[in-house]
Amino acid sequence: MLSKHRNLVLVGFMGSGKTVVGRILATRLRRGFLDMDARIAECAGKTIAAIFQEDGEAEFRRREREVVREIAARPGWVVAAGGGVVLDPANMNDLCRTGAVVCLSAPVSVLIERLRGDRTRPLLQGDPEQRIRDLLAQRRPLYDAVPFQVNTAGLSPEAVAEEVIRLTCGAD
Ligand code: S3P
């Protein structure tokens, strides 16, 4: 069992299931659940879309970095990270130092299907399918470098949670 004093952090592309699986894990492991986007929105007093629109992506990333620092300073959470948390190596250093970090992946066709019609994610405005393909191509090496990997293809959220527990149970 992962120590109660370590975080269990889910990363992965938008639509990979981090929030749904994170909630299941938090219930099963009897831990607090922290959704990074929700925390960022709460601290900013506005939605993620409004932060991007009014303050720009750099300000969003600054706020995201602040939340990572907060999580690393008080570990013990199940965390659903935002899809872009991998972009800053300092984030990954902090998260890997203070917890087990698991990347959820899904075939691009599944991500496109899940994110179809999404109006909330600022980075998918315009041609969402092309944006998904471009962002995934850019970020692939960063996601591949995450210590634990779960391919969610064909798995229910409960089965993904089970696999995350199995993979990380021996992690310190
Ligand atoms: C982002 C992913 C989003 C959110 C923001 C930026 C990204 O989170 O943090 O829109 O850069 O991939 P989800 O992965 O929870 O959708």
Side-chain angles (χ1 to χ4, degrees):
M1 177 73 80
L2 182 72
S3 158
K4 285 266 179 205
H5 306 292
R6 307 273 291 160
N7 289 316
L8 177 52
V9 184
L10 302 179
V11 305
F13 199 75
M14 294 173 260
S16 59
K18 293 162 293 187
T19 302
V20 174
V21 172
R23 282 190 199 286
I24 295 171
L25 282 167
T27 304
R28 291 220 15 206
L29 299 171
R30 294 195 189 85
R31 286 173 176 236
F33 174 66
L34 193 147
D35 182 87
M36 280 190 49
D37 281 351
R39 180 82 183 123
I40 292 167
E42 179 191 323
C43 292
K46 50 179 147 180
T47 64
I48 301 298
I51 299 172
F52 269 79
Q53 199 179 349
E54 294 165 19
D55 311 322
E57 179 171 351
E59 172 60 13
F60 172 80
R61 297 297 172 202
R62 195 194 62 75
R63 289 184 176 278
E64 187 173 50
R65 174 88 194 102
E66 281 302 303
V67 174
V68 168
R69 283 179 192 276
E70 182 184 19
I71 292 164
R74 288 183 38 233
W77 301 92
V78 173
V79 178
V85 78
V86 293
L87 294 170
D88 185 342
N91 285 342
M92 297 313 284
N93 273 338
D94 282 345
L95 295 175
C96 290
R97 185 171 48 78
T98 53
V101 185
V102 183
C103 183
L104 305 186
S105 63
V108 65
S109 56
V110 172
L111 297 175
I112 288 169
E113 193 51 46
R114 283 193 197 150
L115 294 167
R116 193 181 296 284
D118 184 282
R119 297 275 169 272
T120 62
R121 289 176 169 93
L123 293 180
L124 300 183
Q125 301 313 304
D127 177 349
E129 183 168 336
Q130 196 54 49
R131 295 288 294 147
I132 292 167
R133 290 186 191 283
D134 290 348
L135 286 169
L136 253 184
Q138 285 164 22
R139 294 178 180 179
R140 179 85 65 195
L142 302 174
Y143 290 132
D144 285 352
V146 173
F148 297 103
Q149 300 281 332
V150 176
N151 181 344
T152 67
L155 297 183
S156 66
E158 288 75 16
V160 174
E162 191 61 46
E163 181 62 6
V164 170
I165 291 173
R166 194 188 65 75
L167 270 179
T168 58
C169 65
D172 65 351

